Amino acid sequence: MSFVEELRQGLEKTRKNFTERMEDLVGISVDLDEDFMDELEMILVAGDVGIKTTEKIMQALRKAAATREIKSPAEALPFIKQYIADMLTVKGPRMNFKGHPTIVLVVGVNGVGKTTTIGKLANYYRLMGYKVMCAAADTFRAGAVEQLKIWGEKAQVPVISHGDIGADPAAVVYDGVKAAMARHIDVLFVDTAGRLHNKTNLMKELDKMYRVIRKEVPDGPHETLLVLDATTGQNAITQAKIFLETAHVTGVVLTKLDGTAKGGVVVAIKEELGLDVKWIGIGEGMMDFRPFDPKVFVDALFDR
Ligand code: GDP
């Protein structure tokens, strides 16, 4: 199966909830009238694109209709597709490989898919020829350390850890950074605990990790990836806002796009948070993971 075909399959539910509803609407509409615009707006909101982002898209569409850039409902769809693709353009590098080692902190609420994502990323970069290591600093969630070790074995990368629950995460990070330096590792992925119910703790813990890292590697961490679960739709946006207050987030990994009709949240993340989605998860397996490419994503979402 091709790369695009796999992505299309992963996005099946979103396509049904979003694109196919738009196509159906176009099929029964004759004019670009207010009824058409209202229905379209509802589909965008229901697709988890977000209220503000929907308004922006609708404004652009209305303007294009007024200036006769688009003349029929059928022309609205390619217009929206292009508009969303433009909105999603990624500006920065996918991974900021500036450090020796490059340190990547992976943050997010429990259960969003942090550990799984680290396994997938570790495997991806190892296959690309990088020397990869992981540090199991989620010492809060039971089983997280063990789970990361299993992923480490599958991805064939070493995992630095201190026992399971209760170990000091900053001490694990310290050992991870030291080991990565000693072994000339290219990329160190750090798993963290996602204790969102206690913002003060979360902030303290992340601060401590940043301090420990910067003592050894002054320009680190080079990336802080926020993992968000697409199935939570607009809640993912609320979660992200809290992390933006506590961490220096450089990009988003959006997981579980395969199990949800809320894939439109990709657009809201970019527009409402100003964050680039850098990677997407489309399944539980090692390879069910893609670098996010707006054009490929939009094609998979819109093309029959
Ligand atoms: P963590 O608590 O953030 O470290 O989350 P985990 O990595 O343990 O993942 C929680 C659950 O989500 C596990 O059952 C994973 O298999 C599942 N998961 C992670 N990413 C994806 C994905 O992209 N698609 C699907 N369907 N499941 C995923």
Side-chain angles (χ1 to χ4, degrees), residues 49-58 87 241 271-272:
V49 166
I51 308 269
K52 265 199 261 170
T53 314
T54 297
E55 274 170 13
K56 199 166 164 185
I57 296 171
M58 291 310 298
M87 272 180 158
K241 284 182 179 156
E271 272 300 305
E272 292 180 22

Side-chain angles (χ1 to χ4, degrees), residues 14-89:
T14 297
R15 201 166 53 246
K16 281 212 151 55
N17 179 45
F18 190 64
T19 333
E20 289 185 13
R21 284 182 64 194
M22 282 199 242
E23 283 171 358
D24 290 347
L25 175 65
V26 164
I28 58 163
S29 305
V30 180
D31 297 316
L32 285 167
D33 53 19
E34 271 315 298
D35 281 350
F36 174 79
M37 294 292 181
D38 287 348
E39 286 291 327
L40 193 61
E41 190 163 350
M42 262 157 52
I43 296 171
L44 288 168
V45 172
D48 271 82
V49 166
I51 308 269
K52 265 199 261 170
T53 314
T54 297
E55 274 170 13
K56 199 166 164 185
I57 296 171
M58 291 310 298
Q59 227 175 26
L61 190 71
R62 285 201 164 89
K63 194 169 160 211
T67 58
R68 307 287 291 157
E69 186 189 333
I70 56 164
K71 300 183 189 69
S72 67
E75 289 174 2
L77 221 51
F79 178 88
I80 291 176
K81 179 182 167 185
Q82 187 57 47
Y83 195 78
I84 290 180
D86 291 344
M87 272 180 158
L88 291 175
T89 307

Side-chain angles (χ1 to χ4, degrees), residues 108-117 120 138 141 144 147 151 191-192 227 254-259 280-284 288:
V109 174
N110 272 346
V112 290
K114 282 186 301 293
T115 312
T116 307
T117 294
K120 291 170 173 177
D138 181 357
R141 179 166 72 80
Q147 194 187 336
W151 273 106
D191 198 5
T192 64
V227 181
L254 189 64
T255 61
K256 309 189 198 181
L257 270 171
D258 52 308
I280 52 175
I282 51 169
E284 297 188 86
D288 300 330

Side-chain angles (χ1 to χ4, degrees), residues 10-214:
L11 293 175
E12 188 67 36
K13 286 190 185 164
T14 297
R15 201 166 53 246
K16 281 212 151 55
N17 179 45
F18 190 64
T19 333
E20 289 185 13
R21 284 182 64 194
M22 282 199 242
E23 283 171 358
D24 290 347
L25 175 65
V26 164
I28 58 163
S29 305
V30 180
D31 297 316
L32 285 167
D33 53 19
E34 271 315 298
D35 281 350
F36 174 79
M37 294 292 181
D38 287 348
E39 286 291 327
L40 193 61
E41 190 163 350
M42 262 157 52
I43 296 171
L44 288 168
V45 172
D48 271 82
V49 166
I51 308 269
K52 265 199 261 170
T53 314
T54 297
E55 274 170 13
K56 199 166 164 185
I57 296 171
M58 291 310 298
Q59 227 175 26
L61 190 71
R62 285 201 164 89
K63 194 169 160 211
T67 58
R68 307 287 291 157
E69 186 189 333
I70 56 164
K71 300 183 189 69
S72 67
E75 289 174 2
L77 221 51
F79 178 88
I80 291 176
K81 179 182 167 185
Q82 187 57 47
Y83 195 78
I84 290 180
D86 291 344
M87 272 180 158
L88 291 175
T89 307
V90 178
K91 288 193 208 85
R94 178 128 10 232
M95 191 66 88
N96 183 12
F97 281 114
K98 286 228 178 92
H100 303 284
T102 291
I103 301 173
V104 183
L105 213 56
V106 180
V107 302
V109 174
N110 272 346
V112 290
K114 282 186 301 293
T115 312
T116 307
T117 294
I118 291 179
K120 291 170 173 177
L121 276 169
N123 186 59
Y124 180 91
Y125 280 108
R126 182 189 56 84
L127 289 174
M128 299 274 278
Y130 291 92
K131 276 182 85 177
V132 179
M133 184 182 267
C134 301
D138 181 357
T139 56
F140 183 72
R141 179 166 72 80
V145 172
E146 200 46 44
Q147 194 187 336
L148 188 61
K149 283 188 192 161
I150 294 170
W151 273 106
E153 271 170 36
K154 278 200 268 186
Q156 299 171 43
V157 305
V159 174
I160 301 296
S161 69
H162 288 187
D164 202 353
I165 303 186
D168 177 5
V172 180
V173 173
Y174 178 81
D175 281 356
V177 173
K178 281 291 196 192
M181 289 165 86
R183 293 194 221 170
H184 305 290
I185 291 290
D186 298 312
V187 204
L188 172 70
F189 291 104
V190 180
D191 198 5
T192 64
R195 295 197 257 175
L196 201 58
H197 57 272
N198 189 331
K199 202 165 116 187
T200 319
N201 266 357
L202 179 77
M203 209 180 300
K204 265 195 204 151
E205 215 160 272
L206 285 173
D207 265 354
K208 202 167 161 195
M209 285 192 194
Y210 280 112
R211 266 187 282 123
V212 165
I213 291 171
R214 284 180 183 150

